[in-house]
């Protein structure tokens, strides 16, 4: 009984959307068998980075465990494939397939119970190969530029070596990439706003390192007891703890599939090395430069209404009444001295960070936030010169 192609592809799609496939990659074997299946696969968004096909008569272990999102054309003369297929033997108890030449079991007990599987006679194999050749010529044009033909009429280890070399190679593509954006800049440079705009427009996951730590404490997560003492003493949380919380978030499926925009970490070269060593490598990095006077204006004039919790800015969003203005409070962190200290700390490390992220784009953050966003947006879609207005 043949499973309908659409049902089969839906089952494949469900499996490939599971977290292990998203994170580790996948190798698809046995499908597509026809051009119609190939088109259906592409329609539902299943797009391999490498494409391989082999006839329906494998001669031994196929190179399936080579790399993420890989399938490889193993080509051999039909006469060789028929001969190899005739050597297959089946263990009816375990379902294990052996071969009289390439993979004969050493145990005499297993040898005695082996039987010739159905459908491997010379005539039946020739019919399967005829069907394969008829379909493969229509499947391969669906995967231009990512196709590799490997002669299968050679030792298995040589075939595997060639397949592995191919799938580990990097192939340039015009396809959209998954953005992993890092925003760097001193306190008050507008990182949070730009991250929110990117998340809103492109569906990226907004990952604020400081907010993650606060949520870990508020949610009484497994890291709460590790973080809380540092919060209570108002001292920096160690990088090792930060990375545990951060990695837990960046490894979630939405970050892997949709991409992310990270801000608040790294703040210095050591943290950049730690982030890189954990395997989180941003493919777009932006530095937002804003002079101290502008940042002081943005932050020192911020106020909070202790009654309603509403936030105001004495210049950009003043309170509506004198009564409200009289009760407004300033966060101690917004005091000018503390802002200057935090800015100085950032700019001490900024040069090292820019050197570490050599492809970073430096922007003038002291302008309308939507103008800054346009520069960031164009830098994600099309790489910009290192310095822009």
């Amino acid at each position: 009984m043949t499973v309908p192609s659409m049902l089969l592809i839906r089952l494949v799609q469900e499996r490939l959307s599971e977290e292990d496939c998203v994170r580790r990659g996948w190798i698809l074997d046995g499908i597509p068998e026809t051009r119609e299946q190939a088109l259906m696969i592409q329609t539902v968004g299943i797009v391999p980075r490498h494409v391989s096909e082999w006839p329906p008569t494998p001669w031994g272990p196929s190179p399936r465990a080579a790399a993420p999102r890989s399938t490889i054309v193993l080509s051999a003369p039909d006469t060789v494939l028929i001969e190899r297929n005739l050597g297959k033997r089946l263990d009816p108890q375990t379902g294990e397939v052996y071969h009289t030449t390439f993979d004969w079991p050493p145990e005499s007990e297993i040898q005695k119970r082996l039987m010739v599987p159905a459908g491997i006679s010379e005539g039946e194999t020739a019919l399967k190969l005829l069907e394969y050749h008829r379909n493969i010529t229509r499947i391969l044009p669906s995967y231009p530029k990512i196709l590799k033909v490997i002669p299968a009429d050679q030792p298995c280890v040589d075939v595997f070596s060639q397949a592995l070399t191919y799938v580990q190679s990097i192939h340039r593509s015009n396809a959209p990439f998954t953005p992993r954006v890092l925003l760097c800049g001193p306190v008050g440079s507008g990182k949070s706003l730009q991250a929110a705009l990117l998340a809103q427009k492109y569906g990226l996951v907004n990952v604020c390192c400081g907010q993650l730590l606060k949520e870990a404490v508020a949610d009484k997560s497994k890291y709460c007891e590790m973080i809380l003492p540092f919060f209570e003493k108002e001292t920096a949380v160690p990088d090792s703890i930060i990375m545990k919380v951060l990695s837990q978030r960046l490894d979630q499926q939405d970050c892997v599939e949709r991409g992310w925009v990270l801000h608040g970490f790294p703040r210095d070269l050591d943290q950049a090395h730690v982030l890189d060593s954990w395997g989180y490598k941003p493919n777009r990095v932006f530095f937002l430069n804003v002079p101290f006077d502008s940042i002081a204006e943005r932050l020192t004039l911020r106020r909070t209404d202790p009654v309603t919790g509403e936030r105001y800015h004495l210049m950009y969003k003043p309170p509506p009444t004198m009564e409200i203005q009289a009760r407004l409070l300033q966060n101690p962190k917004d005091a000018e001295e503390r802002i200057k200290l935090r800015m100085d700390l950032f700019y001490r490390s900024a040069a090292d960070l820019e050197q570490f992220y050599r492809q970073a784009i430096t922007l003038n953050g002291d302008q309308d936030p939507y103008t800054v966003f346009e520069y960031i947006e164009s830098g994600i879609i099309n790489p910009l010169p290192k310095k822009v207005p």
Side-chain angles (χ1 to χ4, degrees), residues 262-281:
L262 172 64
H263 51 110
F265 190 93
R267 297 174 185 264
D268 56 41
L269 184 60
D270 288 340
Q271 290 182 343
H273 279 296
V274 170
L275 187 68
D276 187 77
S277 69
W278 279 60
Y280 303 110
K281 303 176 188 292

Side-chain angles (χ1 to χ4, degrees), residues 178-191:
T178 301
R180 299 186 300 276
V181 181
L182 173 62
L183 298 179
C184 297
V187 56
S189 59
K191 302 185 297 295

Side-chain angles (χ1 to χ4, degrees), residues 75-87:
S75 176
D78 286 359
T79 52
V80 173
L81 295 173
I82 290 171
E83 183 180 347
R84 289 174 175 170
N85 211 36
L86 290 173

Side-chain angles (χ1 to χ4, degrees), residues 301-336:
L301 300 181
R302 295 194 300 193
R303 298 291 187 272
T304 303
D305 184 343
V307 175
T308 64
E310 184 73 22
R311 295 181 179 181
Y312 295 96
H313 191 280
L314 298 183
M315 181 178 293
Y316 304 126
K317 185 189 174 185
T321 66
M322 293 298 294
E323 180 186 357
I324 295 176
Q325 182 167 337
R327 67 180 186 236
L328 296 183
L329 300 176
Q330 182 187 42
N331 190 318
K333 291 182 179 180
D334 289 343
E336 186 169 332

Side-chain angles (χ1 to χ4, degrees), residues 136-259:
I136 193 66
T137 56
R138 302 179 66 230
I139 293 174
L140 299 186
S142 300
Y143 302 100
K145 299 182 181 179
I146 54 170
L147 195 61
K148 178 69 173 177
V149 178
I150 298 178
D153 192 13
Q154 55 181 324
C156 177
V157 65
D158 293 337
V159 176
F160 178 78
S161 176
Q162 292 177 47
L164 184 62
T165 300
Y166 172 64
V167 298
Q168 287 181 332
S169 63
I170 298 175
H171 299 271
R172 295 187 62 85
S173 170
N174 293 324
F177 62 93
T178 301
R180 299 186 300 276
V181 181
L182 173 62
L183 298 179
C184 297
V187 56
S189 59
K191 302 185 297 295
S192 297
L193 175 57
Q194 297 303 325
L197 292 173
L198 286 170
Q200 180 181 15
K201 182 163 185 178
Y202 292 101
L204 308 184
V205 179
N206 187 348
V207 182
C208 173
C209 187
Q211 187 62 31
L212 281 181
L213 297 176
K214 292 176 185 176
E215 289 174 358
V217 172
D219 296 342
K220 300 189 184 305
S221 72
K222 60 181 178 180
Y223 301 115
C224 175
E225 293 182 2
M226 301 168 66
I227 300 170
L228 194 55
F230 298 97
F231 275 15
E232 292 172 344
K233 297 176 185 176
E234 294 189 356
T235 56
V237 179
D239 294 348
S240 58
I241 298 176
I242 292 176
M243 281 308 306
K244 289 177 181 178
V245 177
L246 189 57
S247 66
Q248 180 177 267
R249 184 66 189 92
L250 296 180
D251 284 345
Q252 290 181 21
Q253 189 166 340
D254 57 347
C255 284
V256 175
E257 288 186 334
R258 290 158 45 195

Side-chain angles (χ1 to χ4, degrees), residues 10-22:
R10 283 177 183 167
L11 293 172
V12 170
Q13 186 181 22
E14 287 178 9
R15 181 64 186 90
L16 298 187
S17 65
E18 293 183 13
E19 187 176 357
D20 58 344
C21 287
V22 174

Side-chain angles (χ1 to χ4, degrees), residues 33-39 132-143:
E33 294 183 330
T34 65
R35 176 164 175 77
E36 288 69 32
Q37 288 183 350
L39 294 175
Y132 168 79
H133 291 306
R134 184 183 297 122
N135 286 315
I136 193 66
T137 56
R138 302 179 66 230
I139 293 174
L140 299 186
S142 300
Y143 302 100

